[in-house]
Amino acid sequence: MSLLLLQAQQFRNFAELSLQPHPQFNLLVGENGSGKTSLLEAIYYLAHGRSFRTSRHQRLIQHDEPAFVLHAKVSSAEQVHSIGIQRERTADLQLRLNGSAQCRLADIAELLPVQLLTPDSFKLFFGGPKERRQFFDMGVFHVEQHFFAVWLQFSRVLKQRNALLKQSRQYNQQFEYWDAQFVQLAWQLQALRQHYISLLQNAFAALTDQDSLLSTVSLQLYAGWPEKLKTSAELQELLSQSFQQDLRLGFTQYGPQKADLRLRSAGHSVEEVLSRGQLKVLLFALKVAQNNLIAGSGLKQPILLIDDLASELDPGSTKKIFDFLTNINSQVFITAINADQVTPFIAADCRQVFHVEHGQITSTDR
């Protein structure tokens, strides 16, 4: 089990919250504005250090209160860990991991693999490459052990190169020095990402092999530079050749920071050939496949947060999605206005229903 206990103070409309979730499915039922999505937001904030609803942390703190506090007990690698986050109106952020303040957000995120599905998740298809990089890099972070360290090094080198573009007008020894490091780290990131996407394609295929439509979907990683480049030396040459254009743009136009995931079916982009309802089913399949891959790679049980599951789904699509969810190796939290939208698809002994109203949460039998 992943999340054993969730507690919140002065978070959104929850003055005090204490929740002991079911290890499999947790259904959060209540009217709009009752606090269902805020509960998902609290779990997401613990895992990512930010909200998926607002960039202004002050909106998360109850009126006239100085800060909000989130605390959880998490099971990972057969151990129980205590994690906590306090965010003040002044933006001061305090973290705790097993009682110690000597920790980073990445240390907490590593213990709590959390994915989110909301009506806005269609950005995975219709948004820019950043949306898709965030999707697959979350999985690479949890599956490929060395990814985060390499990514941190690359980010520092990229920042340095972009700063140089604003200071120097000539491609000189400084650029050669940083480009050599850039290329070395870029090639490492590409190898880690490509290996992960191959694993994700296999997990996706295992989940959808009985679906005549989704089984045709392929996942193709674009590295962030032309496919014709086959060696690191060719990438370094490209950086040199594109220097003048980089100067005009003010940033580095090639590299892993421009990577993308291309989702195709029968040779076309999926958004061109699938209906909105079919895209939502595909979205669920991708998230479930990623959670299964993370779970299968170690001793973590990921968490899937689903806000407003029934939105824009016909009965056939709803059944497909629950077929996927019954094969998920994750702890799942689902919001709904009515329990009857979800309970017929999940066995009673595999779920717990919680009623949310005016910032209060109670466990119910249905």
Side-chain angles (χ1 to χ4, degrees):
M1 183 162 60
S2 186
L3 186 62
L4 307 173
L5 173 69
L6 173 68
Q7 295 177 322
Q9 296 176 335
Q10 317 306 335
F11 186 86
R12 290 287 193 181
N13 61 338
F14 292 106
E16 295 278 347
L17 165 69
S18 183
L19 177 71
Q20 292 181 290
H22 192 281
Q24 293 174 273
F25 290 91
N26 297 273
L27 177 58
L28 311 173
V29 178
E31 296 298 325
N32 290 330
S34 62
K36 306 185 302 295
T37 303
S38 296
L39 199 152
L40 300 187
E41 187 178 21
I43 299 172
Y44 187 90
Y45 204 102
L46 276 167
H48 295 272
R50 56 183 170 84
S51 166
F52 62 84
R53 301 166 75 188
T54 179
S55 60
R56 298 181 60 184
H57 67 273
Q58 295 90 343
R59 293 182 176 178
L60 307 179
I61 305 170
Q62 282 206 327
H63 183 63
D64 290 336
E65 296 294 335
F68 71 76
V69 178
L70 300 174
H71 172 258
K73 290 190 181 296
V74 178
S75 175
S76 179
E78 300 180 351
Q79 294 183 325
V80 176
H81 301 271
S82 175
I83 61 178
I85 292 180
Q86 177 174 302
R87 193 72 185 252
E88 300 182 6
R89 287 193 182 274
T90 58
D92 183 45
L93 179 67
Q94 299 181 40
L95 307 176
R96 291 288 187 276
L97 176 57
N98 297 325
S100 172
Q102 303 302 313
C103 63
R104 306 168 300 169
L105 276 171
D107 298 323
I108 294 176
E110 188 174 359
L111 297 173
L112 203 59
V114 172
Q115 288 198 100
L116 173 72
L117 276 162
T118 75
D120 286 337
S121 294
F122 277 108
K123 290 178 181 177
L124 186 68
F125 306 120
F126 299 106
K130 181 180 178 181
E131 303 290 340
R132 291 177 289 279
R133 279 198 304 276
Q134 288 178 342
F135 165 69
F136 63 73
D137 273 350
M138 180 268 185
V140 186
F141 172 80
H142 286 287
V143 173
E144 301 288 353
Q145 182 179 358
H146 303 296
F147 171 76
F148 185 62
V150 178
W151 180 84
L152 279 180
Q153 293 179 62
F154 173 79
S155 297
R156 295 188 190 105
V157 171
L158 176 63
K159 183 178 180 180
Q160 184 64 41
R161 190 181 196 276
N162 285 340
L164 276 176
L165 287 171
K166 295 175 173 61
Q167 299 169 11
S168 176
R169 310 305 296 178
Q170 289 185 326
Y171 192 83
N172 52 29
Q173 288 183 335
Q174 272 191 303
F175 275 104
E176 289 179 358
Y177 171 79
W178 289 110
D179 281 0
Q181 295 192 48
F182 182 104
V183 167
Q184 179 186 18
L185 294 166
W187 224 253
Q188 291 180 49
L189 283 177
Q190 168 62 9
L192 292 169
R193 282 171 165 171
Q194 186 59 66
H195 180 250
Y196 176 78
I197 294 299
S198 298
L199 296 175
L200 182 59
Q201 177 75 69
N202 292 339
F204 178 81
L207 187 69
T208 61
D209 63 346
Q210 299 300 312
D211 188 297
S212 59
L213 184 63
L214 296 187
S215 61
T216 66
V217 174
S218 65
L219 285 60
Q220 302 170 11
L221 179 64
Y222 168 66
W225 54 82
E227 293 181 8
K228 65 181 181 180
L229 302 188
K230 302 300 181 184
T231 68
S232 57
E234 289 176 318
L235 177 57
Q236 188 156 354
E237 179 66 21
L238 176 65
L239 292 176
S240 174
Q241 292 174 352
S242 59
F243 173 72
Q244 291 299 327
Q245 189 173 4
D246 286 352
L247 276 179
R248 290 192 295 271
L249 293 171
F251 60 85
T252 304
Q253 59 184 315
Y254 296 111
Q257 77 282 4
K258 299 294 184 180
D260 198 358
L261 180 64
R262 293 167 177 172
L263 301 162
R264 305 185 70 80
S265 176
H268 300 277
S269 298
V270 293
E271 61 270 22
E272 295 176 357
V273 296
L274 300 185
S275 69
R276 191 170 177 88
Q278 290 168 334
L279 285 172
K280 186 159 189 178
V281 175
L282 172 59
L283 188 60
F284 271 82
L286 289 167
K287 297 276 187 172
V288 170
Q290 179 149 276
N291 266 24
N292 287 347
L293 181 52
I294 293 170
S297 68
L299 297 175
K300 302 175 186 177
Q301 186 193 28
I303 294 172
L304 183 60
L305 309 176
I306 306 173
D307 193 26
D308 195 14
L309 181 147
S311 174
E312 300 183 27
L313 285 177
D314 58 42
S317 297
T318 301
K319 183 181 182 304
K320 279 188 179 182
I321 284 174
F322 276 101
D323 286 343
F324 295 149
L325 289 175
T326 56
N327 290 297
I328 195 172
N329 188 359
S330 300
Q331 190 177 27
V332 182
F333 293 79
I334 303 171
T335 69
I337 294 177
N338 300 308
D340 291 343
Q341 294 174 304
V342 176
T343 51
F345 300 96
I346 305 173
D349 60 345
C350 295
R351 69 175 193 246
Q352 181 61 57
V353 181
F354 297 93
H355 184 70
V356 185
E357 185 176 12
H358 304 308
Q360 301 293 322
I361 185 165
T362 55
S363 177
T364 67
D365 294 331
R366 64 178 304 278

